[in-house]
């Protein structure tokens, strides 16, 4: 297909497709003349990847990291997945050997390995610090319930990763992390609303806008 057809099929404006080509986010097409090239389904798929990541607010340099890992994941798939996840927000600039005591204690409680080189460890530490700053805590009960259900989600998602090629595995893992997390967050908020609607059904000041979210401070020991 011609570049105009590629743009139309991918739903991306033609100037944006040309920009992605210049920046190396989209691989060149097969040259048919000095000024023409042909494109195929792999280009449509790549545009879908770039568009999805850009839609989640990833800056250009981070999208380039993901694209490079999809193209060349290397022999260590676990390391490639870790680098790809590190390219996704929220971003932390902690050194690889930084200590994260809150994250370490939580991971030790649930029996998971503590490796500060994995970006999610620093992300967890920052999230726990934010809780403390707001006067909230992660109680033992909350940690255990979260862990049980999050492990089930992780088991499902890893089992569903395509394993036909490293490229597809990395791409699916990155897109899954970037695009399914907003779904999980929205479903969690709707579950709060559904649960609160039943719990507060008899309350005279019940209002839909006040039915979502939980802000009660936890007092039990972590």
């Amino acid at each position: 297909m011609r570049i105009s057809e590629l743009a139309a099929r991918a739903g991306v404006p033609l100037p944006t497709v040309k920009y992605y080509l210049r920046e190396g986010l989209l691989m060149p097409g097969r040259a048919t003349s000095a000024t023409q090239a042909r494109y195929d389904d792999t280009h449509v798929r790549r545009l879908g990847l770039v568009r999805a990541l850009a839609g989640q607010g990833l800056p250009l340099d981070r999208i380039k990291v993901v694209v490079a890992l999809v193209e060349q994941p290397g022999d260590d798939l676990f390391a490639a997945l870790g680098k790809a996840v590190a390219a996704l927000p929220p971003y932390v600039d902690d050194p690889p050997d930084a200590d994260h005591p809150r994250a370490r204690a939580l991971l030790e409680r649930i029996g998971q390995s503590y490796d500060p080189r994995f970006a999610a460890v620093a992300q967890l530490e920052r999230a726990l610090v934010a809780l403390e700053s707001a006067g909230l805590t992660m109680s033992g009960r909350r940690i255990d319930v979260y862990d049980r259900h999050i492990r089930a989600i992780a088991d499902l998602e890893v089992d569903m990763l395509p394993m036909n090629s490293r490229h597809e595995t990395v791409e699916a893992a990155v897109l899954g992390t970037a695009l399914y997390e907003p779904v999980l967050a929205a479903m969690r908020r709707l579950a709060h609303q559904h649960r609160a609607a039943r719990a507060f059904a008899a309350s005279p000041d019940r209002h839909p806008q006040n039915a979502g979210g939980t802000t009660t401070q936890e007092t039990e020991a972590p």
Side-chain angles (χ1 to χ4, degrees):
M1 72 187 83
R2 297 166 62 90
I3 190 171
S4 58
E5 296 172 311
L6 170 64
R9 182 171 169 186
V12 178
L14 181 57
T16 303
V17 175
K18 292 180 177 180
Y19 173 70
Y20 289 162
L21 280 167
R22 291 195 302 270
E23 292 295 325
L25 294 172
L26 180 64
M27 54 282 206
R30 178 176 57 85
T32 56
S33 70
T35 59
Q36 298 289 329
R38 303 294 293 181
Y39 302 88
D40 56 27
D41 288 343
T42 60
H43 295 88
V44 176
R45 185 181 182 90
R46 173 59 57 80
L47 280 175
L49 171 64
V50 174
R51 186 182 185 185
L53 295 176
Q56 293 301 313
L58 268 72
L60 186 63
D61 60 331
R62 302 285 183 163
I63 296 177
K64 286 183 176 180
V65 170
V66 175
V67 167
L69 287 167
V70 169
E71 289 183 345
Q72 299 291 336
D75 295 330
D76 190 340
L77 184 57
F78 180 77
L81 292 175
K83 292 177 182 178
V85 170
L88 303 176
Y91 300 120
V92 292
D93 298 321
D94 298 353
D97 59 347
D99 187 33
H100 306 292
R102 298 166 187 80
R104 183 176 62 248
L106 189 152
L107 291 171
E108 287 176 351
R109 177 185 178 91
I110 62 178
Q112 291 189 19
S113 60
Y114 169 78
D115 186 348
R117 295 172 299 177
F118 192 59
V121 173
Q123 293 168 355
L124 175 59
E125 181 74 15
R126 183 165 297 183
L128 293 172
V129 169
L131 277 176
E132 289 184 8
S133 298
L136 303 175
T137 63
M138 280 292 289
S139 69
R141 179 188 177 194
R142 185 182 289 263
I143 291 172
D144 294 343
V145 172
Y146 279 16
D147 174 52
R148 182 168 68 253
H149 292 285
I150 289 171
R151 282 179 189 258
I153 293 171
D155 288 343
L156 170 69
E157 294 180 339
V158 172
D159 288 343
M160 294 182 68
L161 282 175
M163 294 297 181
N164 296 327
S165 72
R166 294 177 182 272
H167 305 279
E168 290 185 3
T169 303
V170 172
E171 182 181 70
V174 172
L175 277 178
T177 301
L179 302 182
Y180 279 116
E181 283 185 352
V183 175
L184 288 172
M187 290 181 66
R188 177 176 178 264
R189 293 177 182 182
L190 290 169
H192 284 167
Q193 185 178 31
H194 179 73
R195 180 68 176 84
R198 290 186 297 160
F200 307 140
S203 175
D205 59 349
R206 177 182 158 213
H207 191 282
Q209 291 183 348
N210 299 325
T214 54
T215 57
T216 304
Q217 181 172 349
E218 309 224 1
T219 57
E220 56 189 292

